[in-house]
Amino acid sequence: MRRAYPIPILSYRLIRRFTAVVTVLCLAACGSDGPAALPDEDGNEGGSDGKGGEVTVVIAAPQTETRAVPSGDEIRSVRIYAYAHGETDQPPVGYLEDNDFITGVGTYKINLSRRGQLDFIALLNDGGVAQAASAVALDGNTTLAQLNAYRIGRQLNSYNDGGCAIPMSTLEGENGENRTFTLTESIASQYVRLTATRAMSRLRLYFAKHNTGRATVQITGATLTQGPLSTRLLVDEDSESLSYPDDYVAAGTDEETSAIAVAPANTEVSYPVEVTDVAAPDTKLTAGNTTLVAAAYMPENPYGASNVHPDGLYEDEYDGTVGNRRLSAYKLTVTYRVGDSEGEKDVYLPAVDRNQTVNVFGLLSGEDITLYVRVADWIVEEVTLPQHPTYSDCRPETAGHYSTTARFEASEGNKLDAAFLCIFEMSTEQVFTPTVNGPFTVVVQNSAHAVVTGNQIKGGTGADGNPLSYFIYVIPTRDYDPSAVNEGYLLITIPDWTGENEPLLINREHKWNAGDNSQDDRIRITIENPSPDSGENTNT
């Protein structure tokens, strides 16, 4: 079920941190022709009015990273659930899955068997990692309680094309934010915004060299052992929900089967990876002066090193990681070669949350290795994300005057006075295009009543912080003709991620053409009939 309803998408640039990875937009278009309704707590069918409806969901995925690193941020599969709020042990009232998602934007319609207060949940790439042994199957009958308990394993699955896909999910915020929404009969259409978060953590290894002469410096391998056996897909993991040794890789487990792959960052090469960047010992190591050697993805882990050393300097007894803490922390083992000499270093990683990165920076100086370990938000910098713009319904110049007729005037000086007029406001900096079909033309003026065209027709905010306003005139190009079609539809479009023009919903409250049997999110405009009682054909 793809691109079932045209939802407009806007590309914009920003820095997304920590929880902002995938944006999900829902349009609740609740109609009377929905599926069979379920009774609510008071025995009413379908909530307040016995009607089901549809939810249209647009999913926007982040772009892949610029370096030759498998970011895992592509979307391979989507599941969307809608539950009656508070009914954790009941199957969903709406469900959709798509296992053939293409990175970018997908548009879906979900049938709802009821409305009212609903909990919306999106799961992305749940097949990107093997589920834990205790997990139930995910399908259209999975309850919210089962989702909350659903666990995924510790290693990503590799696809046939060599790519990976990190599981993501929507996490509930404070007071039900990012999950609970009320869809009522008084709202014909409603936008719901959800934010999904990666359910895994990331490890990155950066290395530079110093005082190695002409010797070739290589990282010959890296493995990640110990740590949690699994993590929850939908709920943040914490120390209260994990215990050693039951939830962790047992001591002495064969590392061949339990190790998490720490693969070369450049997917086109294999170990050994040559270190080419040079840095001085007194220089802070960053991604800018080191070679990104390897990367891995793993479950979050609330246990690990906790002491803070200057600049993340790693010492042999980093935080005195002993006993169960030493056994529950992730252990990174790096092997390296400087000329003909080989070495190995173990690193116990600090605690790390989902959607965070553990960055390990290493300086190979002669045959010695100095390491710095820092935990940071998993940042997607300056990526282009599809995002729905912020705009208003078209409104009349005179409050409450929702007439949609326009009169033809031959005189240029009278055309605007006789035209259909509405005011449109958009606060997002996005070029938009008003168009009309049928025997009409469109003229657009800015708030100063100056005619604007092309890229001059653009949203934004003024000096007062309010959205920019535009006057949109729809002008008949001929007089009323009883033998022809005398109506057309006003659209305001923006380019979507495919380059196609997609219409904005400029009549969401259906105040324009309110008497139509089939309410439309567009505005239908009719040429005024100068003799409505003449008995002539009024074909529209």
Side-chain angles (χ1 to χ4, degrees), residues 148-162:
N148 285 332
Y150 187 88
R151 305 191 69 85
I152 54 176
R154 60 192 261 118
Q155 300 191 56
L156 292 180
N157 292 329
S158 295
Y159 292 90
N160 293 334
D161 58 8

Side-chain angles (χ1 to χ4, degrees), residues 4-17:
Y5 191 91
I7 299 295
I9 304 301
L10 169 66
S11 293
Y12 73 116
R13 301 180 68 80
L14 81 170
I15 296 178
R16 310 282 285 182
R17 292 178 181 267

Side-chain angles (χ1 to χ4, degrees), residues 213-475:
R214 296 184 179 180
T216 299
V217 178
Q218 297 174 319
I219 302 301
T220 56
T223 57
L224 191 64
T225 55
Q226 303 188 162
L229 291 166
S230 62
T231 190
R232 289 182 289 186
L233 178 58
L234 193 61
V235 182
D236 273 321
E237 205 67 90
D238 52 40
S239 57
E240 287 76 17
S241 60
L242 290 175
S243 62
Y244 185 86
D246 295 341
D247 298 315
Y248 283 80
V249 175
T253 300
D254 182 8
E255 292 187 356
E256 291 293 328
T257 58
S258 66
I260 296 174
V262 184
N266 187 336
T267 57
E268 298 179 357
V269 304
S270 56
Y271 288 117
V273 177
E274 184 174 356
V275 176
T276 58
D277 286 88
V278 178
D282 59 351
T283 301
K284 180 177 180 178
L285 299 182
T286 67
N289 60 10
T290 56
T291 302
L292 176 56
V293 172
Y297 305 97
M298 65 279 193
E300 60 186 312
N301 187 2
Y303 293 103
S306 58
N307 282 357
V308 178
H309 292 263
D311 198 27
L313 177 65
Y314 184 86
E315 300 176 346
D316 287 340
E317 291 301 319
Y318 186 62
D319 96 336
T321 313
V322 296
N324 287 349
R325 181 169 288 275
R326 180 179 286 275
L327 294 173
S328 56
Y330 283 118
K331 184 177 77 170
L332 170 67
T333 301
V334 179
T335 57
Y336 56 93
R337 181 185 301 126
V338 179
D340 294 329
S341 300
E342 296 186 349
E344 180 177 298
K345 184 72 172 180
D346 288 339
V347 185
Y348 289 90
L349 301 185
V352 60
D353 291 331
R354 68 176 60 201
N355 212 31
Q356 280 190 325
T357 295
V358 178
N359 292 312
V360 176
F361 295 92
L363 180 64
L364 289 157
S365 182
E367 297 179 11
D368 297 327
I369 183 171
T370 304
L371 293 175
Y372 300 83
V373 182
R374 309 180 195 131
V375 178
D377 291 349
W378 189 335
I379 301 174
V380 182
E381 296 188 40
E382 291 298 313
V383 298
T384 300
L385 295 181
Q387 173 73 5
H388 198 282
T390 301
Y391 63 94
S392 64
D393 274 14
C394 284
R395 59 180 174 85
E397 184 177 31
T398 302
H401 186 70
Y402 285 93
S403 172
T404 56
T405 59
R407 188 177 72 255
F408 173 73
E409 286 286 347
S411 172
E412 289 295 328
N414 297 330
K415 285 184 180 296
L416 293 184
D417 290 337
F420 166 84
L421 169 62
C422 68
I423 299 173
F424 179 71
E425 296 178 342
M426 178 187 286
S427 60
T428 307
E429 292 187 5
Q430 165 69 32
V431 173
F432 60 90
T433 305
T435 61
V436 66
N437 65 342
F440 301 93
T441 187
V442 173
V443 172
V444 181
Q445 295 180 348
N446 61 21
S447 58
H449 286 284
V451 174
V452 288
T453 59
N455 291 338
Q456 296 175 323
I457 309 174
K458 184 178 182 179
T461 55
D464 58 1
N466 293 323
L468 296 181
S469 298
Y470 290 88
F471 297 90
I472 300 176
Y473 295 87
V474 179
I475 305 170

Side-chain angles (χ1 to χ4, degrees), residues 133-217:
S134 60
V136 299
L138 295 180
D139 55 30
N141 294 312
T142 307
T143 67
L144 180 55
Q146 290 172 326
L147 279 187
N148 285 332
Y150 187 88
R151 305 191 69 85
I152 54 176
R154 60 192 261 118
Q155 300 191 56
L156 292 180
N157 292 329
S158 295
Y159 292 90
N160 293 334
D161 58 8
C164 59
I166 298 170
M168 307 181 193
S169 64
T170 52
L171 300 180
E172 184 175 11
E174 295 183 7
N175 300 319
E177 293 178 2
N178 200 41
R179 177 170 296 182
T180 305
F181 304 90
T182 301
L183 308 182
T184 66
E185 58 182 321
S186 62
I187 301 177
S189 55
Q190 176 180 350
Y191 284 97
V192 174
R193 185 185 302 264
L194 302 176
T195 301
T197 299
R198 301 177 184 95
M200 305 285 282
S201 308
R202 179 174 64 172
L203 170 68
R204 282 189 156 190
L205 309 184
Y206 297 85
F207 284 89
K209 60 183 179 178
H210 171 71
N211 195 29
T212 57
R214 296 184 179 180
T216 299
V217 178

